[in-house]
Amino acid sequence: MTSRTKDIMPTDATPEATIDQGSEAGSGGRRAALIINPIKATTIDVEGAVRRISAEDGWDEPLVIETTEDDPGHGQARQALDAGADLVIAAGGDGTVRCVAEELAGSGTMMALVPLGTGNLLARNLDIAVDDPDAAVEAAFRGTERSIDVVHVTVDRAQDAHVFLVMAGLGYDAAIMSDTRDDLKDKVGWLAYVDAGIRNLPGRPARTTISVDGGKPFERRLRSVMGGNCGKIMGGLEIFPGARIDDGRMDLMTVAPKGKLGWLAVAGKLFVKGKGSSKDPSLEYFQCRTAEVTSREPLEVQLDGDPLGKARHMAFEVKPDSLRLRMPLGYKDPAVVSEPLP
Protein backbone atom coordinates (compact mmCIF):
# COMPACT_ATOMS: atom_id res chain seq x y z
CA MET A 1 0.00 0.00 0.00
CA THR A 2 1.36 3.46 -0.84
CA SER A 3 0.59 6.85 0.63
CA ARG A 4 -2.17 8.90 -0.88
CA THR A 5 -1.32 12.40 -2.06
CA LYS A 6 -4.11 14.92 -2.50
CA ASP A 7 -3.79 18.21 -4.33
CA ILE A 8 -5.39 20.38 -6.97
CA MET A 9 -4.61 18.52 -10.21
CA PRO A 10 -6.25 17.11 -13.34
CA THR A 11 -8.22 13.93 -12.73
CA ASP A 12 -5.75 11.88 -14.78
CA ALA A 13 -2.67 13.16 -12.90
CA THR A 14 -0.60 10.86 -10.71
CA PRO A 15 0.60 11.54 -7.15
CA GLU A 16 4.14 11.81 -8.51
CA ALA A 17 3.01 14.48 -10.92
CA THR A 18 1.34 16.29 -8.06
CA ILE A 19 4.59 16.47 -6.14
CA ASP A 20 6.49 17.77 -9.15
CA GLN A 21 3.84 20.40 -9.80
CA GLY A 22 3.84 21.32 -6.11
CA SER A 23 7.51 22.22 -6.07
CA GLU A 24 6.75 24.81 -8.75
CA ALA A 25 3.35 25.84 -7.44
CA GLY A 26 2.17 29.40 -7.21
CA SER A 27 4.72 32.16 -7.68
CA GLY A 28 7.58 30.47 -5.88
CA GLY A 29 6.28 31.41 -2.43
CA ARG A 30 6.27 29.30 0.70
CA ARG A 31 4.48 25.97 0.76
CA ALA A 32 3.37 23.68 3.58
CA ALA A 33 2.98 19.91 3.47
CA LEU A 34 0.39 18.25 5.71
CA ILE A 35 1.12 14.62 6.61
CA ILE A 36 -2.02 13.28 8.25
CA ASN A 37 -3.05 9.97 9.76
CA PRO A 38 -6.54 9.44 8.26
CA ILE A 39 -7.73 7.06 10.98
CA LYS A 40 -7.36 9.61 13.78
CA ALA A 41 -10.83 11.01 14.45
CA THR A 42 -11.25 14.74 15.05
CA THR A 43 -14.16 17.16 14.94
CA ILE A 44 -11.94 19.73 13.21
CA ASP A 45 -11.24 19.62 9.47
CA VAL A 46 -7.45 19.75 9.76
CA GLU A 47 -6.88 19.78 6.02
CA GLY A 48 -9.40 22.60 5.63
CA ALA A 49 -7.70 24.62 8.36
CA VAL A 50 -4.30 24.17 6.70
CA ARG A 51 -5.67 25.27 3.33
CA ARG A 52 -7.44 28.26 4.89
CA ILE A 53 -4.42 29.61 6.77
CA SER A 54 -2.15 28.95 3.79
CA ALA A 55 -4.41 31.16 1.70
CA GLU A 56 -4.78 33.84 4.39
CA ASP A 57 -1.02 34.11 4.90
CA GLY A 58 -0.09 34.07 1.22
CA TRP A 59 1.36 30.57 1.11
CA ASP A 60 1.03 28.36 -1.95
CA GLU A 61 -1.58 25.59 -2.08
CA PRO A 62 -0.50 22.96 0.49
CA LEU A 63 0.56 19.44 -0.31
CA VAL A 64 -1.58 16.90 1.59
CA ILE A 65 -0.36 13.32 2.06
CA GLU A 66 -2.02 10.60 4.11
CA THR A 67 -0.12 7.97 6.07
CA THR A 68 -0.90 4.30 5.61
CA GLU A 69 -0.66 1.16 7.69
CA ASP A 70 2.45 0.18 5.76
CA ASP A 71 4.09 3.61 5.95
CA PRO A 72 3.26 5.67 9.08
CA GLY A 73 5.17 8.77 8.00
CA HIS A 74 8.68 8.09 6.68
CA GLY A 75 7.89 7.97 2.99
CA GLN A 76 5.45 10.87 3.25
CA ALA A 77 8.09 13.06 4.91
CA ARG A 78 10.57 12.24 2.17
CA GLN A 79 7.93 13.18 -0.43
CA ALA A 80 7.45 16.51 1.32
CA LEU A 81 11.20 17.15 1.32
CA ASP A 82 11.47 16.19 -2.34
CA ALA A 83 8.63 18.63 -3.10
CA GLY A 84 10.60 21.44 -1.46
CA ALA A 85 8.10 22.07 1.35
CA ASP A 86 9.06 24.92 3.68
CA LEU A 87 6.95 23.57 6.54
CA VAL A 88 5.94 19.96 7.23
CA ILE A 89 2.97 19.47 9.56
CA ALA A 90 2.58 16.04 11.17
CA ALA A 91 -1.06 15.47 12.12
CA GLY A 92 -1.57 12.26 14.09
CA GLY A 93 -0.35 10.46 17.17
CA ASP A 94 3.12 10.12 18.65
CA GLY A 95 4.04 7.48 16.07
CA THR A 96 3.28 9.78 13.14
CA VAL A 97 5.21 12.64 14.77
CA ARG A 98 8.25 10.46 15.45
CA CYS A 99 8.38 8.99 11.94
CA VAL A 100 8.15 12.41 10.30
CA ALA A 101 10.76 13.86 12.67
CA GLU A 102 13.12 10.99 11.87
CA GLU A 103 13.21 12.13 8.25
CA LEU A 104 13.28 15.89 8.94
CA ALA A 105 15.98 15.89 11.62
CA GLY A 106 19.11 17.49 10.24
CA SER A 107 17.39 18.61 7.04
CA GLY A 108 16.82 22.23 8.06
CA THR A 109 13.14 22.00 7.08
CA MET A 110 10.65 23.31 9.63
CA MET A 111 8.30 20.86 11.35
CA ALA A 112 5.05 21.42 13.22
CA LEU A 113 2.51 19.07 14.74
CA VAL A 114 -1.22 18.75 15.16
CA PRO A 115 -1.78 16.21 17.98
CA LEU A 116 -4.54 13.71 17.18
CA GLY A 117 -3.41 10.71 19.20
CA THR A 118 -3.87 9.34 22.72
CA GLY A 119 -0.59 10.29 24.38
CA ASN A 120 0.49 13.33 22.33
CA LEU A 121 3.68 13.41 24.41
CA LEU A 122 5.70 15.98 22.46
CA ALA A 123 2.72 18.33 22.22
CA ARG A 124 2.22 18.19 26.00
CA ASN A 125 5.85 19.14 26.54
CA LEU A 126 5.73 22.03 24.08
CA ASP A 127 2.44 23.58 25.20
CA ILE A 128 0.72 22.68 21.92
CA ALA A 129 -3.03 22.28 22.39
CA VAL A 130 -3.87 18.56 22.55
CA ASP A 131 -7.64 19.16 22.48
CA ASP A 132 -7.81 21.99 19.90
CA PRO A 133 -6.46 20.95 16.46
CA ASP A 134 -7.53 24.29 14.98
CA ALA A 135 -5.28 26.16 17.43
CA ALA A 136 -2.44 23.73 16.69
CA VAL A 137 -2.75 24.42 12.96
CA GLU A 138 -2.60 28.17 13.59
CA ALA A 139 0.50 27.71 15.76
CA ALA A 140 2.10 25.68 12.97
CA PHE A 141 1.97 28.71 10.65
CA ARG A 142 2.06 31.64 13.07
CA GLY A 143 3.93 30.35 16.10
CA THR A 144 7.52 30.79 17.15
CA GLU A 145 10.45 28.66 16.02
CA ARG A 146 12.78 26.65 18.23
CA SER A 147 15.56 24.22 17.41
CA ILE A 148 15.32 21.13 19.60
CA ASP A 149 17.49 18.12 20.34
CA VAL A 150 16.77 14.73 18.81
CA VAL A 151 18.06 11.51 20.36
CA HIS A 152 19.28 8.77 18.03
CA VAL A 153 18.87 5.19 19.22
CA THR A 154 20.47 2.04 17.87
CA VAL A 155 18.71 -1.17 18.90
CA ASP A 156 20.69 -4.41 19.11
CA ARG A 157 23.59 -2.76 17.25
CA ALA A 158 21.57 -2.40 14.05
CA GLN A 159 23.15 -0.45 11.23
CA ASP A 160 20.33 2.10 11.06
CA ALA A 161 19.34 4.28 14.00
CA HIS A 162 15.87 5.41 15.05
CA VAL A 163 15.09 8.72 16.76
CA PHE A 164 12.91 9.78 19.64
CA LEU A 165 11.78 13.22 20.75
CA VAL A 166 10.34 12.57 24.22
CA MET A 167 11.45 9.28 25.74
CA ALA A 168 12.52 5.74 24.99
CA GLY A 169 12.81 2.73 27.23
CA LEU A 170 13.83 -0.85 27.74
CA GLY A 171 11.78 -3.04 30.10
CA TYR A 172 8.64 -2.29 32.10
CA ASP A 173 7.68 0.99 30.40
CA ALA A 174 7.95 -0.64 26.98
CA ALA A 175 5.92 -3.63 28.15
CA ILE A 176 3.13 -1.19 29.04
CA MET A 177 3.15 0.28 25.53
CA SER A 178 3.20 -3.15 23.95
CA ASP A 179 0.36 -4.48 26.12
CA THR A 180 -2.03 -1.49 25.98
CA ARG A 181 -5.37 -2.45 24.48
CA ASP A 182 -6.34 -0.39 21.42
CA ASP A 183 -10.05 -0.86 22.10
CA LEU A 184 -9.58 0.52 25.62
CA LYS A 185 -7.62 3.50 24.30
CA ASP A 186 -10.59 4.34 22.08
CA LYS A 187 -12.90 4.27 25.12
CA VAL A 188 -10.89 5.85 27.95
CA GLY A 189 -7.87 7.47 26.26
CA TRP A 190 -4.57 7.55 28.15
CA LEU A 191 -6.09 5.72 31.13
CA ALA A 192 -5.69 2.56 29.04
CA TYR A 193 -1.96 2.81 29.80
CA VAL A 194 -2.76 2.65 33.52
CA ASP A 195 -4.58 -0.63 32.95
CA ALA A 196 -1.56 -2.06 31.13
CA GLY A 197 0.76 -0.75 33.82
CA ILE A 198 -1.13 -2.54 36.57
CA ARG A 199 -1.23 -5.79 34.62
CA ASN A 200 2.54 -5.66 34.06
CA LEU A 201 3.56 -4.79 37.62
CA PRO A 202 4.48 -8.41 38.50
CA GLY A 203 7.83 -9.45 37.11
CA ARG A 204 11.44 -9.92 37.97
CA PRO A 205 14.33 -7.48 37.48
CA ALA A 206 16.83 -7.97 34.67
CA ARG A 207 20.59 -7.82 35.12
CA THR A 208 21.67 -4.75 33.19
CA THR A 209 24.98 -3.03 32.39
CA ILE A 210 24.97 0.73 31.79
CA SER A 211 27.64 3.11 30.53
CA VAL A 212 27.14 6.90 30.54
CA ASP A 213 29.17 9.21 28.29
CA GLY A 214 31.67 6.45 27.64
CA GLY A 215 32.43 6.02 31.34
CA LYS A 216 33.10 2.85 33.28
CA PRO A 217 30.14 0.45 32.98
CA PHE A 218 28.12 -0.28 36.13
CA GLU A 219 25.58 -3.00 36.82
CA ARG A 220 22.01 -2.82 38.10
CA ARG A 221 19.11 -5.23 38.54
CA LEU A 222 16.31 -3.24 36.91
CA ARG A 223 12.72 -3.33 35.78
CA SER A 224 13.18 -0.40 33.40
CA VAL A 225 15.75 1.96 31.88
CA MET A 226 14.41 5.10 30.20
CA GLY A 227 16.06 7.89 28.26
CA GLY A 228 14.25 11.23 28.34
CA ASN A 229 14.59 14.25 26.07
CA CYS A 230 11.86 16.10 27.98
CA GLY A 231 9.88 15.29 31.08
CA LYS A 232 6.08 15.18 30.83
CA ILE A 233 3.87 12.20 30.12
CA MET A 234 0.10 11.74 30.37
CA GLY A 235 -1.86 12.91 33.38
CA GLY A 236 0.55 15.77 34.05
CA LEU A 237 3.20 13.44 35.51
CA GLU A 238 6.75 14.70 35.05
CA ILE A 239 9.07 11.71 35.23
CA PHE A 240 12.21 13.58 34.11
CA PRO A 241 12.12 16.67 36.36
CA GLY A 242 13.66 19.77 34.87
CA ALA A 243 14.55 18.04 31.61
CA ARG A 244 15.00 20.43 28.68
CA ILE A 245 14.60 19.55 25.05
CA ASP A 246 17.22 22.05 23.88
CA ASP A 247 20.14 21.61 26.30
CA GLY A 248 22.12 19.06 24.29
CA ARG A 249 21.74 16.43 26.99
CA MET A 250 19.55 13.44 27.74
CA ASP A 251 18.22 12.30 31.11
CA LEU A 252 18.59 8.59 31.89
CA MET A 253 16.38 7.03 34.58
CA THR A 254 16.71 3.57 36.08
CA VAL A 255 13.83 1.91 37.94
CA ALA A 256 14.60 -0.88 40.41
CA PRO A 257 11.77 -1.44 42.93
CA LYS A 258 12.70 -3.60 45.93
CA GLY A 259 10.27 -6.14 47.37
CA LYS A 260 6.48 -6.20 47.30
CA LEU A 261 6.15 -2.54 48.29
CA GLY A 262 8.94 -1.38 45.99
CA TRP A 263 6.63 0.15 43.42
CA LEU A 264 5.04 2.31 46.13
CA ALA A 265 8.47 3.70 46.94
CA VAL A 266 9.16 4.41 43.27
CA ALA A 267 5.78 6.13 42.85
CA GLY A 268 6.42 8.23 45.94
CA LYS A 269 9.75 9.46 44.59
CA LEU A 270 8.20 10.30 41.24
CA PHE A 271 5.70 12.60 42.92
CA VAL A 272 8.10 14.18 45.44
CA LYS A 273 9.53 17.55 44.47
CA GLY A 274 13.27 17.47 44.01
CA LYS A 275 13.26 13.79 43.06
CA GLY A 276 15.70 14.47 40.24
CA SER A 277 18.64 14.63 42.64
CA SER A 278 17.80 11.28 44.23
CA LYS A 279 20.52 8.62 44.28
CA ASP A 280 18.28 6.00 45.88
CA PRO A 281 18.97 2.82 43.86
CA SER A 282 15.26 2.22 43.35
CA LEU A 283 15.08 5.36 41.19
CA GLU A 284 18.26 6.94 39.82
CA TYR A 285 18.85 9.76 37.33
CA PHE A 286 21.87 10.55 35.16
CA GLN A 287 22.46 13.32 32.60
CA CYS A 288 24.51 12.51 29.53
CA ARG A 289 25.12 13.01 25.82
CA THR A 290 25.53 9.31 25.11
CA ALA A 291 24.55 6.13 26.94
CA GLU A 292 24.69 2.41 26.36
CA VAL A 293 22.42 -0.17 28.00
CA THR A 294 22.88 -3.94 27.79
CA SER A 295 20.50 -6.49 29.32
CA ARG A 296 21.33 -10.17 29.84
CA GLU A 297 17.87 -11.09 28.56
CA PRO A 298 15.66 -9.65 25.83
CA LEU A 299 13.33 -6.90 27.07
CA GLU A 300 10.57 -4.92 25.39
CA VAL A 301 11.66 -1.66 23.69
CA GLN A 302 9.62 1.51 23.01
CA LEU A 303 10.35 4.83 21.32
CA ASP A 304 7.91 7.67 22.09
CA GLY A 305 5.29 5.05 22.90
CA ASP A 306 5.87 2.91 19.80
CA PRO A 307 6.71 -0.71 20.75
CA LEU A 308 9.63 -2.10 18.74
CA GLY A 309 9.68 -5.66 20.04
CA LYS A 310 12.38 -7.12 22.28
CA ALA A 311 16.11 -6.36 22.40
CA ARG A 312 19.14 -6.72 24.64
CA HIS A 313 21.07 -3.59 23.71
CA MET A 314 20.29 0.13 23.21
CA ALA A 315 22.76 2.91 22.41
CA PHE A 316 21.66 6.55 22.79
CA GLU A 317 23.24 9.66 21.25
CA VAL A 318 21.92 13.23 21.51
CA LYS A 319 22.02 15.33 18.35
CA PRO A 320 21.71 18.92 19.64
CA ASP A 321 19.49 21.47 17.89
CA SER A 322 18.92 19.15 14.95
CA LEU A 323 15.18 19.71 14.39
CA ARG A 324 13.52 23.04 13.64
CA LEU A 325 10.08 23.09 15.27
CA ARG A 326 7.12 25.47 15.39
CA MET A 327 5.22 25.95 18.64
CA PRO A 328 2.70 28.47 19.98
CA LEU A 329 3.63 32.05 20.75
CA GLY A 330 3.68 33.14 24.38
CA TYR A 331 5.05 31.64 27.57
CA LYS A 332 6.44 28.19 26.94
CA ASP A 333 6.98 25.18 29.13
CA PRO A 334 10.37 25.18 30.93
CA ALA A 335 11.28 22.17 28.80
CA VAL A 336 12.12 24.70 26.10
CA VAL A 337 12.59 28.20 27.48
CA SER A 338 12.35 29.70 30.95
CA GLU A 339 11.48 33.26 29.97
CA PRO A 340 8.35 34.65 28.28
CA LEU A 341 8.73 35.21 24.57
CA PRO A 342 8.07 38.68 23.15
Side-chain angles (χ1 to χ4, degrees):
M1 184 183 296
T2 58
S3 58
R4 247 175 55 210
T5 306
K6 298 189 291 183
D7 210 334
I8 295 178
M9 60 179 178
T11 56
D12 60 345
T14 64
E16 290 78 8
T18 304
I19 295 171
D20 291 338
Q21 292 170 0
S23 62
E24 300 174 359
S27 57
R30 296 173 298 173
R31 192 186 196 199
L34 172 66
I35 298 173
I36 186 166
N37 186 337
I39 69 171
K40 297 296 184 181
T42 175
T43 58
I44 300 296
D45 178 6
V46 175
E47 179 182 340
V50 169
R51 292 188 182 279
R52 173 178 57 80
I53 296 182
S54 289
E56 290 176 355
D57 291 4
W59 290 52
D60 291 338
E61 187 71 20
L63 176 67
V64 180
I65 319 171
E66 292 183 352
T67 65
T68 69
E69 184 177 354
D70 294 333
D71 189 345
H74 292 284
Q76 294 84 351
R78 290 193 294 269
Q79 289 179 37
L81 289 173
D82 289 344
D86 301 281
L87 170 68
V88 179
I89 305 170
D94 292 316
T96 303
V97 171
R98 189 184 67 80
C99 290
V100 172
E102 194 164 292
E103 301 299 328
L104 295 186
S107 71
T109 298
M110 185 82 68
M111 179 177 171
L113 54 146
V114 178
L116 302 178
T118 303
N120 301 312
L121 297 180
L122 184 61
R124 295 178 192 277
N125 280 274
L126 300 180
D127 232 13
I128 296 172
V130 298
D131 54 0
D132 189 348
D134 210 14
V137 171
E138 183 168 357
F141 285 90
R142 299 166 179 171
T144 188
E145 175 188 344
R146 287 282 184 252
S147 292
I148 68 169
D149 305 334
V150 172
V151 186
H152 289 236
V153 179
T154 302
V155 178
D156 273 350
R157 296 180 173 86
Q159 183 174 359
D160 297 325
H162 298 281
V163 307
F164 73 87
L165 303 172
V166 181
M167 59 190 67
L170 181 75
Y172 173 70
D173 63 292
I176 293 174
M177 301 304 172
S178 178
D179 199 29
T180 299
R181 292 166 44 194
D182 289 336
D183 62 328
L184 198 58
K185 282 200 295 185
D186 292 339
K187 294 177 182 177
V188 299
W190 65 266
L191 290 174
Y193 295 109
V194 177
D195 167 73
I198 293 172
R199 287 188 284 107
N200 282 275
L201 277 176
R204 59 187 180 85
R207 291 186 178 273
T208 308
T209 302
I210 301 172
S211 176
V212 173
D213 284 335
K216 182 179 179 180
F218 56 91
E219 292 190 355
R220 294 288 189 272
R221 289 177 58 86
L222 303 170
R223 289 295 309 276
S224 182
V225 183
M226 297 179 65
N229 199 27
C230 46
K232 287 183 181 178
I233 59 173
M234 292 81 70
L237 179 62
E238 187 177 13
I239 64 173
F240 294 99
R244 292 173 59 103
I245 203 168
D246 59 356
D247 63 355
R249 300 178 72 83
M250 179 188 78
D251 288 61
L252 191 74
M253 179 178 71
T254 64
V255 181
K258 302 292 184 182
K260 294 182 178 180
L261 299 180
W263 282 112
L264 293 177
V266 169
K269 292 182 180 67
L270 284 174
F271 285 100
V272 172
K273 187 175 182 180
K275 54 190 174 294
S277 61
S278 170
K279 289 301 179 182
D280 186 310
S282 67
L283 190 69
E284 292 184 278
Y285 290 87
F286 308 86
Q287 275 204 331
C288 55
R289 299 183 185 277
T290 64
E292 195 168 356
V293 179
T294 305
S295 172
R296 293 191 183 181
E297 60 187 81
L299 299 174
E300 296 283 353
V301 173
Q302 64 87 12
L303 302 180
D304 284 346
D306 279 349
L308 265 65
K310 291 187 176 183
R312 287 187 173 92
H313 180 269
M314 292 180 73
F316 302 83
E317 182 181 3
V318 179
K319 300 288 187 180
D321 298 333
S322 58
L323 181 64
R324 296 174 63 204
L325 197 67
R326 277 270 172 81
M327 58 194 69
L329 289 167
Y331 188 85
K332 296 274 86 54
D333 188 276
V336 180
V337 63
S338 57
E339 297 295 334
L341 296 170

